[in-house]
Amino acid sequence: MTYMRTLLVTVMMLGACLFLPGCMEEKEQVICEGEEPLEENWWYECSFEMLEDGTITIEVELTGDTPVTILTIPASEYENWYYCEEFDYYEAGSKVDSMSTTLEFDYQTQENWADELYVIFWNSDWPNSCDEEENGPTVNGNFKITVS
């Protein structure tokens, strides 16, 4: 008899949950966001750890006419990127010469290089950005990364 009561209460609670707003929705977590002016060859970076599979959304809203490069790289490749060496990056989360855009992609922790990632918003002419260049325009924009 107690088993049936427990089962009935559980079914009632699950049924009630279906009618409550937000009860069954996926939670979206803001990993980082910023409003940073980026001078030529400067960057804004965000590092975070993926503890489980999820959808990563990268939003960029720029003002002006100068694009940025968006790179999503595993932590193990960060030093190679930083020192202008060859590096691997996650193509679905990267875009060269990007103005205002939204990138959205699924990340599966067990199938990728690493579970710690860097997303870099870079005011550069990548892949030629390690060459000496004159100062270019400053980029102003908003950057936001969420995981759901």
Side-chain angles (χ1 to χ4, degrees):
M1 201 62 137
T2 323
Y3 172 75
M4 290 300 283
R5 284 185 189 159
T6 305
L7 182 61
L8 181 62
V9 169
T10 303
V11 169
M12 287 173 43
M13 289 177 68
L14 286 174
C17 182
L18 294 174
F19 297 104
L20 294 174
C23 184
M24 299 293 281
E25 290 179 13
E26 284 188 35
K27 301 283 188 233
E28 181 178 270
Q29 179 183 3
V30 175
I31 300 300
C32 62
E33 59 186 325
E35 186 175 329
E36 300 288 327
L38 299 177
E39 295 177 16
E40 178 76 25
N41 283 324
W42 283 84
W43 65 90
Y44 173 78
E45 68 184 48
C46 176
S47 66
F48 58 98
E49 200 170 311
M50 291 293 290
L51 301 176
E52 58 187 32
D53 295 354
T55 300
I56 300 172
T57 304
I58 302 169
E59 298 175 56
V60 178
E61 186 176 323
L62 300 178
T63 57
D65 298 332
T66 305
V68 296
T69 296
I70 303 167
L71 294 171
T72 300
I73 60 175
S76 60
E77 295 292 320
Y78 181 82
E79 278 191 40
N80 291 340
W81 167 79
Y82 185 83
Y83 290 110
C84 294
E85 298 171 1
E86 191 173 311
F87 62 93
D88 291 322
Y89 60 96
Y90 199 67
E91 287 185 41
S94 302
K95 187 172 182 182
V96 178
D97 291 335
S98 176
M99 293 302 286
S100 297
T101 191
T102 299
L103 302 175
E104 186 173 283
F105 60 99
D106 292 328
Y107 185 86
Q108 297 176 337
T109 54
Q110 70 273 12
E111 293 181 5
N112 292 301
W113 303 297
D115 296 333
E116 184 179 359
L117 300 173
Y118 280 85
V119 175
I120 299 165
F121 304 97
W122 192 12
N123 182 4
S124 73
D125 180 26
W126 185 71
N128 304 316
S129 55
C130 291
D131 301 336
E132 291 285 327
E133 293 185 25
E134 294 182 23
N135 286 340
T138 298
V139 174
N140 291 300
N142 298 313
F143 312 100
K144 182 177 179 183
I145 301 169
T146 57
V147 174
S148 55

